[in-house]
Amino acid sequence: MNIELRTMEIDDYDLVYALWKESEGLMLNADDSRECVIHFLERNPALSFVALDQGKLVGAALCGHDGRHGYIHNLAVKKNHRKQGIGKSLVGRCMFELIKLGIHRCHLYVESGNQDGISFWKKLGWEQRVEMISMSQPLRS
Ligand SMILES: CC(C)(COP(=O)(O)OP(=O)(O)OC[C@H]1O[C@@H](n2cnc3c(N)ncnc32)[C@H](O)[C@@H]1OP(=O)(O)O)[C@@H](O)C(=O)NCCC(=O)NCCS
């Protein structure tokens, strides 16, 4: 299989969103809307990637940073393309680009029930931060 990785563009949104929707383990919300993804890609240019098999979108990863740490969101690979190294390649490319920008730690969120996702990240060497919990609050204008 000849998989090509390229930068995610907003024109990919419909196919990427369809992939996210069919991917178990991802919790989609308002932050995954087209408007929010436009904002995210503009703020984090050339850090998010799609994987293409003969031009057909089979994987995607959103990646950004806040100047201190990188973040990877919504990594997904089409079911019939899994276990062929595509997820690992997408993550590797995101991290390579973060390192080039001087970012030396990357975080991500995995739904606590997503055992397959957690196993994948652990296989890639990521460590669960048991000493921390995640907290958040919606911001209203
Ligand atoms: C998680 C996901 C992106 C992995 O993509 P993938 O292309 O199948 O992963 P890769 O083929 O690159 O796997 C890389 C390594 O992880 C291993 N791996 C992949 N899925 C695994 C799993 N469920 N459990 C354990 N190991 C796994 C592979 O065997 C491979 O190991 P190797 O390097 O020793 O050969 C894919 O299963 C997916 O889209 N899941 C649904 C969405 C999701 O849960 N995303 C992650 C949460 S943010």
Side-chain angles (χ1 to χ4, degrees):
M1 205 175 358
N2 192 10
I3 301 295
E4 177 203 350
L5 301 191
R6 69 153 168 79
T7 305
M8 187 190 299
E9 308 294 342
I10 194 57
D11 287 349
D12 297 315
Y13 178 80
D14 287 341
L15 290 174
V16 169
Y17 190 78
L19 171 62
W20 289 342
K21 258 175 62 176
E22 71 189 28
S23 299
E24 74 289 359
L26 295 188
M27 293 194 312
L28 299 182
N29 58 40
D31 299 336
D32 302 301
S33 68
R34 178 185 292 272
E35 188 184 32
C36 288
V37 173
I38 289 172
H39 189 212
F40 186 85
L41 295 179
E42 284 177 354
R43 200 174 174 280
N44 297 283
L47 282 177
S48 297
F49 291 90
V50 291
L52 306 171
D53 180 8
Q54 296 179 347
K56 190 169 167 287
L57 193 144
V58 296
L62 282 181
C63 177
H65 72 88
D66 59 15
R68 281 160 54 96
H69 299 139
Y71 297 88
I72 294 177
H73 305 281
N74 291 10
L75 173 72
V77 172
K78 275 210 174 275
K79 284 199 177 84
N80 57 357
H81 280 74
R82 290 183 187 170
K83 301 275 176 85
Q84 297 172 56
I86 298 173
K88 186 176 179 175
S89 299
L90 283 163
V91 173
R93 185 64 192 274
C94 291
M95 292 175 72
F96 178 75
E97 298 299 328
L98 288 171
I99 290 166
K100 284 202 306 193
L101 294 172
I103 303 293
H104 295 293
R105 179 167 285 277
C106 190
H107 300 301
L108 56 87
Y109 298 100
V110 191
E111 188 193 348
S112 57
N114 183 0
Q115 280 308 325
D116 283 347
I118 292 167
S119 300
F120 164 81
W121 290 110
K122 286 187 171 170
K123 190 75 197 281
L124 263 57
W126 291 63
E127 290 175 358
Q128 187 176 352
R129 299 288 297 267
V130 291
E131 77 280 21
M132 299 179 86
I133 59 163
S134 167
M135 300 181 75
S136 66
Q137 185 182 96
L139 302 178
R140 297 186 185 86
S141 48

